[in-house]
Amino acid sequence: MNPGLIPLIVYLSLLFNTLSEAQPSSAGPRPLALNCGSKDGGHDADNRKWESDDKYLVAADKSVSSTALTHEASLCSDVPYMTARIFKGETSYKFNVNSTSRYIIRLHFYPSNYPDYNISDSYSVVTTGTMTLLRNFSAFITAEALSQAYLIREYSLAAFNSDSITLTFKPADKSFAFVNGIELITEPELFDDKAGLVGVADTAGTIDGVSSNMQTMFRLNVGGQYIHPKNDSGGLMRSWYDDMPYMFGAGTISHVGNVTIDYKGLPEATAPADVYRTARSQGPDPNINKHSNVTWVFQVDANFTYLVRFHFCEYHLEKINQRVFKILLNNETAFNSADIIAWTGGKGIPTRKDYAVYIGNKRGDAELWVTLHTNIDLQPEFYDILLNGLEVFKLSDARSNLAGQNPVPSEMMQKQLIANREAHDPNSICSKQVIVGGAATVGVAAIVLLIMIRKKRRAPGSDPGSTSWLPVYGTSTASKSTTSRKSHGSNSLSKDAVCNCRYFSLLEIKRATNNFDESKVIGVGGFGKVYKGVVDGNMMVAVKRSNPSSEQGVNEFMTEIEMLSKLRHRHLVSLIGFCEEGDEMVLVYDYMGKGTLRQHLYRGNKITLSWIQRLELLIGAAKGLHYLHTGAKYTIIHRDVKTTNILCDDSWVAKVSDFGLSKTGPNMHQNHVSTVVKGSFGYLDPEYFRRQQLTEKSDVYSFGVVLFEVLCARPALNPSLPKEQVSLADYALQSARKGTLEEMVDPHLKGKIKAEAFNNFTDCSIRCLSDHGMERPSMGDVLWTLESCLRIETKVEGTTNSPKSSSPSDMVEVPIDNSDMIAMHLNTLNLDNDDDDDDAIFSQIVNPQGR
Ligand SMILES: *[C@@H]1O[C@H](CO)[C@@H](O)[C@H](O)[C@H]1NC(C)=O
Ligand SMILES: *[C@@H]1O[C@H](CO)[C@@H](O)[C@H](O)[C@H]1NC(C)=O
Ligand SMILES: *[C@@H]1O[C@H](CO)[C@@H](O)[C@H](O)[C@H]1NC(C)=O
Ligand SMILES: *[C@@H]1O[C@H](CO)[C@@H](O)[C@H](O)[C@H]1NC(C)=O
Ligand SMILES: *[C@@H]1O[C@H](CO)[C@@H](O)[C@H](O)[C@H]1NC(C)=O
Ligand SMILES: *[C@@H]1O[C@H](CO)[C@@H](O)[C@H](O)[C@H]1NC(C)=O
Ligand SMILES: *[C@@H]1O[C@H](CO)[C@@H](O)[C@H](O)[C@H]1NC(C)=O
Ligand SMILES: *[C@@H]1O[C@H](CO)[C@@H](O)[C@H](O)[C@H]1NC(C)=O
Ligand SMILES: *[C@@H]1O[C@H](CO)[C@@H](O)[C@H](O)[C@H]1NC(C)=O
């Protein structure tokens, strides 16, 4: 046992949480509390009544009731934890609900052993409608890793538009699923349809909270104490925790205000008055404050967008510009000049503000940093910050999924678990004593991690890998990937794909790349490296080798083979073949001699493309996208249209590449593809953020940005420019309103574009950037406009550049013709080492040199 943990555990035990009777509440019907697997319900330690779950089970019931074999000393209450419902097959509960209300669902799990069931074999899938709440969820592993006796998961779900909701439990594979308690509580609408998404220009990125489904990750009474569910406002039975364990660094003070809280327009259910009555600020020394930040760090699941809610209430100052501070999420500014009085108008009036941030591309757990820093530039009267409460919600992703992965205990934690088992003293403070209820089950993990972070800082030489929650990848990688390969291997490729693609042996690939010679690397992508190679004596190819530890990569590889093998078009990158042998997974593309469109636009480009050349390249790319949208069997949405994904072959034929993110569209599914926030900042369709629904018009939006990028020869995002010019899309829309579009044009093109072509080109480009997909032209319309522009230009320039036909015959599939084959890959031509993953994108925004 690490001695450092003991005070912490003692401290946490003080937060000991139990459930209790709800305060009578005017909002909505009585909350439902089910003691699963019990015949007649019962009362918990706080005298709250729980009822039996029997009558909510629907017909096809494959469940049994059971009673836990062990009673952990730290179990706060027998109800609802000592009885469980165990599911041997898919089983649902059905609840009648108000179709226009949000609901909170809380699930309680006590991973003890139950007669005839070994709890370590339990893996649960929990869904409601199309939403996945938990997937391959092992309560046993999670509780062990977090050192908790029981777990609570809390979800806040958007209105169901239906009079009932179905909550389904399903065992994963041959295991079983179980649950001990279920709560269902009507939640008044506490969310807005607009929360600014950090890292995206003001108008572009917002998250619609009203239609979002979320999981509560953390709920903190900043600068205050634990608030029991009984003392929550609105009868929502939430627990609010002390924020100390999440604080990074010291030097703050907590306050209790001597004011009555006047909610004004804010619903009382937003947060109890006790949250607003206490706060944290910096110390009295302005010089220290000017040079320090107040930061909270949370462990979260990677590849999700998080909604971060800040609760504010001023009770000391009463004038504007007395206390002004910046709000940062993961080191990026979410709001520059937070002034609580300016928001609320006076002392004792609370408000809350939501900001969202996407956290991507990490293996396993990732970190969310919340930072407040006084805004020196605005010269407020006091250099200080203030925060009263903080909530963090995880938003569902593209696949309507909220489930993360089971945690992997750190080395330290594992040692501790073993020590605990050896000690085997149920009353020992070292045994599974820590119980943190509510939704903040990840809390303990975060605390432990924080300790480790601090330790790490003290001992700079230590290996960060060994102190993280993530499995240590390294020597063990090979065996790991072999097993994951098996399940994703060529067996899962369709016959189609296998027939349309050439199979290469590993030996051929090694010969082609001089045994993966480092000097042949032409790009590094999320999936691994890309090598330049030669096959069949003289054919140049790009060889993409999967990073053996990237399991996600394997799936995307498969997607790519499937997609590319079916799609053949002059303006799409073609796949030549693939190789799968042992551990190796390799894709082979033709080599794209002229690289990306972007590298010929700016960034020390060697040649300046003429206007006509640019139009021709754009027409090629537009044809490729038009084919994806309409020419293939299914509508295919590219999802990541940008100038680095438009490649040029030796004869300057533009080809669209990177289908790793592609999704098949409406023909296949309902009206839209709902998605996770994927794509690249600067190109992202704002509607796609608001609705999390993707249509082919999202590609049109991105292509609109590409059109301006080509016209203006500047990047989609350039943080080194004045604020209003950072985002190309915003700048273009602004300029169009002011009628100053001409000023944006690449100086090399000034005076070289015919007025009619310029007007029609910019008209069309601006329409591509329309806020609503409906108002944007189709790719076919864009193509038509581009071709007519080219016609206008070539009328006088001579006949050599006569436009190619855009008749449908040009769109049909063309047979593979190796001599004409293109293809370097999307992710692959990562020559400037950017745009490759979200982190890189973020770093570009942060670091102006990135461009
Ligand atoms: C459903 O909820 C809405 C507001 O949340 C309320 O106005 C309406 O009366 C409720 N309907 C029923 C049948 O309870
Ligand atoms: C449950 O299974 C695990 C591993 O499968 C085993 O180590 C453990 O002893 C089993 N527990 C019981 C009570 O059978
Ligand atoms: C609720 O708040 C009151 C007053 O602040 C306090 O006395 C009481 O102990 C709290 N209830 C619980 C269950 O913590
Ligand atoms: C709180 O404010 C009231 C009136 O403003 C005052 O009478 C009381 O003494 C204050 N209490 C404290 C502890 O400062
Ligand atoms: C924020 O910046 C600090 C250093 O300034 C760094 O240590 C930390 O990792 C960054 N956090 C994130 C989430 O990027
Ligand atoms: C405060 O945070 C910002 C953004 O993460 C960082 O740039 C700055 O260096 C930090 N300052 C201090 C004193 O930590
Ligand atoms: C997040 O997504 C990236 C890229 O799609 C993938 O490499 C990574 O493994 C994912 N991380 C998790 C924890 O799923
Ligand atoms: C389920 O979770 C276990 C434990 O974390 C893990 O070993 C296993 O690979 C997971 N299975 C799937 C299909 O994700
Ligand atoms: C340019 O746009 C105008 C207005 O939409 C249209 O009438 C004209 O035909 C277009 N020019 C060409 C050459 O397509």
Side-chain angles (χ1 to χ4, degrees):
M1 175 80 195
N2 184 313
L5 268 182
I6 294 173
L8 223 125
I9 287 173
V10 172
Y11 165 75
L12 279 166
S13 313
L14 298 176
L15 300 180
F16 203 90
N17 157 42
T18 50
L19 299 155
S20 68
E21 196 96 38
Q23 300 280 348
S25 133
S26 52
R30 228 188 104 77
L32 206 58
L34 304 184
N35 182 10
C36 300
S38 88
K39 273 225 143 30
D40 358 294
H43 289 80
D44 66 16
D46 272 312
N47 208 27
R48 178 186 185 187
K49 183 160 171 28
W50 293 68
E51 60 177 307
S52 164
D53 61 339
D54 279 339
K55 70 176 192 213
Y56 299 96
L57 284 164
V58 296
D61 181 3
K62 301 203 185 78
S63 75
V64 294
S65 305
S66 191
T67 304
L69 288 172
T70 48
H71 187 292
E72 293 269 354
S74 55
L75 198 59
C76 61
S77 168
D78 286 5
V79 175
Y81 296 105
M82 286 304 286
T83 57
R85 183 157 298 276
I86 292 178
F87 306 97
K88 296 178 289 182
E90 186 174 324
T91 304
S92 296
Y93 289 99
K94 191 171 166 199
F95 306 108
N96 293 328
V97 295
N98 180 337
S99 64
T100 61
S101 299
R102 278 192 90 81
Y103 276 88
I104 290 177
I105 291 185
R106 252 178 236 128
L107 305 176
H108 299 254
F109 299 97
Y110 177 43
S112 165
N113 271 312
Y114 296 89
D116 305 327
Y117 291 96
N118 184 339
I119 200 69
S120 64
D121 296 338
S122 170
Y123 288 90
S124 311
V125 179
V126 183
T127 57
T128 162
T130 54
M131 280 294 307
T132 304
L133 305 182
L134 292 167
R135 191 177 51 201
N136 189 35
F137 170 68
S138 168
F140 174 76
I141 293 175
T142 308
E144 287 268 278
L146 303 183
S147 192
Q148 291 175 218
Y150 64 83
L151 303 166
I152 303 175
R153 292 281 135 119
E154 184 190 89
Y155 302 91
S156 168
L157 303 179
F160 295 97
N161 294 321
S162 146
D163 289 333
S164 65
I165 104 161
T166 305
L167 183 67
T168 304
F169 290 81
K170 199 169 72 179
D173 291 326
K174 292 192 196 94
S175 67
F176 63 96
F178 79 104
V179 68
N180 301 81
I182 300 173
E183 287 175 85
L184 183 71
I185 300 177
T186 316
E187 183 180 26
E189 188 56 67
L190 298 177
F191 296 94
D192 293 334
D193 57 4
K194 273 198 175 177
L197 186 70
V198 173
V200 179
D202 301 5
T203 54
T206 57
I207 295 288
D208 181 356
V210 174
S211 66
S212 289
N213 295 303
M214 31 191 133
Q215 180 185 346
T216 314
M217 302 295 285
F218 304 95
R219 179 173 287 132
L220 307 178
N221 177 15
V222 175
Q225 292 180 334
Y226 170 70
I227 297 174
H228 191 274
K230 211 171 177 170
N231 280 344
D232 189 24
S233 59
L236 299 182
M237 306 293 285
R238 297 166 298 189
S239 298
W240 297 75
Y241 295 90
D242 184 339
D243 67 321
M244 264 319 273
Y246 306 94
M247 295 248 20
F248 186 78
T252 61
I253 48 177
S254 46
H255 315 254
V256 184
N258 181 19
V259 285
T260 19
I261 302 300
D262 175 3
Y263 279 88
K264 296 254 193 239
L266 196 71
E268 266 194 61
T270 308
D274 275 346
V275 169
Y276 293 117
R277 215 171 277 132
T278 57
R280 186 176 298 286
S281 72
Q282 285 173 291
D285 187 338
N287 284 321
I288 295 178
N289 295 357
K290 260 156 83 170
H291 298 110
S292 59
N293 288 332
V294 182
T295 298
W296 293 260
V297 179
F298 304 96
Q299 284 310 118
V300 295
D301 296 315
N303 294 350
F304 284 96
T305 301
Y306 291 86
L307 185 76
V308 183
R309 164 162 295 190
F310 296 81
H311 295 272
F312 297 112
C313 181
E314 184 71 73
Y315 40 72
H316 178 51
L317 307 175
E318 42 186 287
K319 291 211 218 66
I320 292 179
N321 209 40
Q322 286 189 305
R323 190 197 314 256
V324 185
F325 50 91
K326 299 182 190 189
I327 299 174
L328 300 103
L329 294 180
N330 275 18
N331 295 342
E332 294 217 42
T333 305
F335 198 77
N336 194 46
S337 52
D339 185 333
I340 300 170
I341 294 294
W343 277 330
T344 63
K347 280 205 268 191
I349 303 169
T351 187
R352 47 85 175 163
K353 296 284 163 191
D354 296 348
Y355 302 99
V357 62
Y358 177 69
I359 297 185
N361 204 47
K362 294 267 163 52
R363 193 182 295 284
D365 295 9
E367 284 177 6
L368 169 64
W369 286 51
V370 175
T371 303
L372 301 184
H373 184 57
T374 179
N375 187 328
I376 300 163
D377 302 340
L378 293 180
Q379 299 187 313
E381 190 178 337
F382 302 100
Y383 290 120
D384 206 342
I385 61 102
L386 188 81
L387 184 63
N388 306 66
L390 192 64
E391 289 174 278
V392 178
F393 302 97
K394 174 165 74 177
L395 302 180
S396 66
D397 71 11
R399 278 160 250 125
S400 296
N401 172 50
L402 274 168
Q405 290 164 0
N406 290 321
V408 178
S410 67
E411 238 170 51
M412 187 181 105
M413 204 68 170
Q414 263 160 355
K415 276 193 201 124
Q416 190 205 329
L417 289 175
I418 292 162
N420 287 354
R421 280 189 206 114
E422 279 164 6
H424 215 77
D425 173 5
N427 294 319
S428 152
I429 192 89
C430 298
S431 70
K432 279 205 257 174
Q433 185 81 272
V434 184
I435 300 185
V436 179
T441 47
V442 198
V444 182
I447 296 156
V448 173
L449 209 110
L450 263 175
I451 293 167
M452 292 187 297
I453 290 171
R454 287 181 184 151
K455 257 185 116 148
K456 210 158 85 192
R457 303 249 148 99
R458 263 184 249 125
S462 67
D463 169 18
S466 62
T467 55
S468 81
W469 283 100
L470 319 173
V472 184
Y473 289 87
T475 48
S476 65
T477 308
S479 59
K480 232 183 162 54
S481 65
T482 322
T483 46
S484 70
R485 270 307 136 57
K486 292 228 165 76
S487 53
H488 295 105
S490 53
N491 293 347
S492 59
L493 273 180
S494 69
K495 257 211 197 100
D496 240 21
V498 176
C499 295
N500 284 340
C501 273
R502 170 170 162 191
Y503 184 81
F504 288 89
S505 72
L506 187 56
L507 195 66
E508 273 176 285
I509 299 292
K510 285 189 169 164
R511 235 182 254 143
T513 57
N514 203 3
N515 201 10
F516 299 113
D517 187 345
E518 284 297 306
S519 71
K520 305 260 183 211
V521 173
I522 50 176
V524 182
F527 317 139
K529 290 180 177 166
V530 184
Y531 302 79
K532 184 169 162 178
V534 179
V535 298
D536 299 344
N538 61 358
M539 189 171 132
M540 297 280 276
V541 291
V543 172
K544 187 159 90 167
R545 182 193 198 188
S546 136
N547 177 352
S549 62
S550 154
E551 195 167 325
Q552 177 85 18
V554 174
N555 284 325
E556 301 214 359
F557 257 71
M558 292 303 160
T559 311
E560 220 167 309
I561 296 181
E562 289 289 341
M563 286 247 181
L564 287 175
S565 64
K566 282 183 206 131
L567 299 169
R568 300 290 176 193
H569 189 272
R570 180 175 159 84
H571 294 288
L572 295 182
V573 157
S574 308
L575 182 70
I576 300 172
F578 69 100
C579 160
E580 198 207 15
E581 212 171 301
D583 251 4
E584 294 290 350
M585 181 84 206
V586 170
L587 295 181
V588 182
Y589 306 87
D590 220 343
Y591 183 70
M592 294 286 276
K594 295 281 193 276
T596 67
L597 174 56
R598 173 182 292 177
Q599 78 195 60
H600 303 298
L601 292 175
Y602 40 86
R603 264 200 172 221
N605 46 333
K606 301 215 175 59
I607 13 161
T608 304
L609 296 175
S610 73
W611 175 234
I612 288 177
Q613 282 174 311
R614 293 186 203 193
L615 279 176
E616 284 177 335
L617 291 174
L618 287 172
I619 287 169
K623 285 180 180 175
L625 288 171
H626 181 59
Y627 171 73
L628 286 179
H629 289 177
T630 61
K633 194 164 167 195
Y634 303 114
T635 300
I636 292 164
I637 302 167
H638 187 290
R639 293 220 281 178
D640 200 14
V641 175
K642 55 184 174 183
T643 45
T644 42
N645 279 341
I646 297 172
L647 306 177
C648 308
D649 74 359
D650 285 326
S651 35
W652 292 101
V653 175
K655 318 257 178 185
V656 176
S657 87
D658 198 348
F659 299 86
L661 299 180
S662 299
K663 274 270 136 77
T664 50
N667 297 357
M668 214 175 169
H669 305 296
Q670 320 86 13
N671 299 332
H672 61 264
V673 181
S674 93
T675 83
V676 90
V677 181
K678 269 195 168 175
S680 302
F681 288 111
Y683 296 93
L684 276 173
D685 171 8
E687 195 171 53
Y688 163 30
F689 272 110
R690 279 197 304 272
R691 310 219 162 279
Q692 292 199 44
Q693 289 170 5
L694 192 64
T695 68
E696 64 269 32
K697 293 295 180 69
S698 303
D699 285 351
V700 174
Y701 180 93
S702 307
F703 196 69
V705 178
V706 168
L707 292 174
F708 276 110
E709 207 176 332
V710 169
L711 180 70
C712 308
R714 57 148 284 182
L717 285 180
N718 184 348
S720 63
L721 290 172
K723 186 166 179 272
E724 67 280 4
Q725 298 185 16
V726 168
S727 153
L728 178 57
D730 285 353
Y731 184 35
L733 288 169
Q734 244 173 57
S735 303
R737 274 195 295 274
K738 289 196 235 151
T740 57
L741 275 173
E742 249 148 296
E743 289 167 19
M744 297 176 65
V745 174
D746 180 2
H748 292 107
L749 296 181
K750 288 251 162 85
K752 306 226 167 97
I753 308 177
K754 294 248 164 60
E756 192 185 5
F758 180 79
N759 289 338
N760 288 17
F761 182 93
T762 50
D763 250 35
C764 170
S765 312
I766 288 290
R767 278 190 299 126
C768 289
L769 299 181
S770 300
D771 205 36
H772 298 287
M774 300 274 287
E775 291 156 15
R776 296 175 204 148
S778 69
M779 249 359 265
D781 297 337
V782 175
L783 178 57
W784 190 89
T785 303
L786 291 174
E787 291 190 319
S788 74
C789 290
L790 184 60
R791 264 194 300 273
I792 296 170
E793 299 291 355
T794 49
K795 247 180 226 155
V796 189
E797 302 260 343
T799 48
T800 47
N801 279 314
S802 72
K804 291 157 194 110
S805 117
S806 71
S807 71
S809 64
D810 203 36
M811 304 287 171
V812 301
E813 310 189 8
V814 296
I816 313 177
D817 168 7
N818 283 353
S819 64
D820 190 26
M821 225 164 18
I822 0 305
M824 160 102 208
H825 199 62
L826 13 101
N827 258 333
T828 64
L829 193 79
N830 191 20
L831 297 174
D832 27 57
N833 193 22
D834 65 10
D835 279 17
D836 204 68
D837 52 44
D838 297 306
D839 275 10
I841 291 158
F842 275 116
S843 65
Q844 278 165 31
I845 295 169
V846 183
N847 170 16
Q849 273 99 299
R851 294 266 177 173

